[in-house]
Amino acid sequence: MNILLLSDELMPGGVARHIVDLANSIKKRGVNVYLSTTPGEYKNRLNPEISYLPISILIENSFNKNYWGIIPSYIGLSKYIKKNRIDVIHTHKRYSHLIGKILSKQYGIPHITSYHSDFNSEQKISIFGNITICCSKAVCKTIVEQFGCNENNVKTIYYGIKPFRVYNEKEKQNIVDELGIPRNKLVISSVGQFIPVKDKVSLLYSINELKKNIDVNKIVFVLLGYGEQKKHLEYLIQKLGLKNTVIMVNGTFSVESLFNVSEFMILNSIKEGFGIVMLEAASLGKMHIGTKVGGIPEFIEDGITGKLIEAGNPEQLAKTISFLLDNPNEYKRMGSNAKIKYEKSFGLNRMISETLNVYHSVLSK
């Protein structure tokens, strides 16, 4: 079985991690896997034995479209498919879905589409394959009810990850030192792109609200990511007087390292397909505060595996952070529960087996 995984890019983030983990894992299971994307930071994580075809759907190391690269990418992929006798095309992002659909029709090859975000009806162009894999039930509901995808051709496969490694105390101290954080401060982190849908703006306003009621000198908030809002967020940090309370870290910094030194995490999205960071934190026995959007409540059970809040509500987020800081045993308890849930239902082997079953099912038809 020869599988082509096709995506727009491999920039640091949950989707790129998922694609690389999927490629590496099915390769280990003896499947011939081929990967084609616009090159990005996460290409370095790819098993060197996997055949990789660089394309130019986007401008390299960005999310900006490269219109001049679409035709050359299509031609290169067409030759690649014929040369390697691809059996299944599995696409992961919007432009890849379109190119994958055309190639699927041209060569009569089954096409699988994966949807990783709970997008909205403003995105009119939506391409669905023979089977569409969704990262959460919320995403499945969206594409069926708002975009008319046949529900018989939709399957939810939750993300699965390898657990993060637990660092020893010396390693943790080294990470804190690298970030320039005094060792006596508590770290609270938030990982995600600096784009409007991740709503880091509300997070900053919640921190500003928090400092009205508690002493924030013992806390450091670390925002890890990259994106179009970076300069605006830096301006807000300055404007709100949060320079000594908030640190912004480039998206290439190790999420594993940051989560090892964090007390708990915040996922403050306005829209979210699922949020692989929830699993990454849970694998270390740590919890997230998450918004009640998309697939987040499918992992976070309020008061059990984390805390749920309304989206775009800085006051509620501030109160929740304050409660957890006053009750450390509570966030440790919920973190332990999150780890149990992760180990039971969100392991990597389960995800790989379910995905391979989809490949076999489309080939059998």
Side-chain angles (χ1 to χ4, degrees), residues 34 37 54 70 93 104 106 109 138 142 146 151 161 182 185 200 205 215-216 242 267 272 288 291 306 316 332:
Y34 303 83
T37 70
I70 292 176
K93 287 203 170 184
S104 168
Q106 181 177 348
I109 299 171
T142 297
Q146 296 190 33
E151 63 182 350
I161 65 163
K185 292 199 175 188
K200 303 298 185 188
Y205 278 109
D215 180 9
V216 295
L242 301 176
L267 182 58
E272 188 73 50
H288 263 84
T291 45
Q316 187 183 15
K332 291 175 183 176

Side-chain angles (χ1 to χ4, degrees), residues 73-90:
S73 296
Y74 170 78
I75 293 171
L77 281 164
S78 183
K79 293 177 180 178
Y80 196 62
I81 286 171
K82 287 190 289 185
K83 176 184 176 182
N84 296 294
R85 299 182 179 181
I86 297 299
D87 296 309
V88 176
I89 301 171
H90 184 179

Side-chain angles (χ1 to χ4, degrees), residues 89 91 96-97 100-101 104 109-113 127-131:
I89 301 171
T91 58
S96 302
H97 292 333
K101 174 63 76 176
S104 168
I109 299 171
H111 179 206
I112 296 168
T113 47
I127 308 282
F128 304 113
N130 302 86
I131 295 290

Side-chain angles (χ1 to χ4, degrees), residues 58-72:
L58 303 180
I59 297 172
E60 193 168 333
N61 290 315
S62 79
F63 292 105
N64 298 320
K65 293 182 284 292
N66 179 20
Y67 295 109
W68 297 106
I70 292 176
I71 297 300

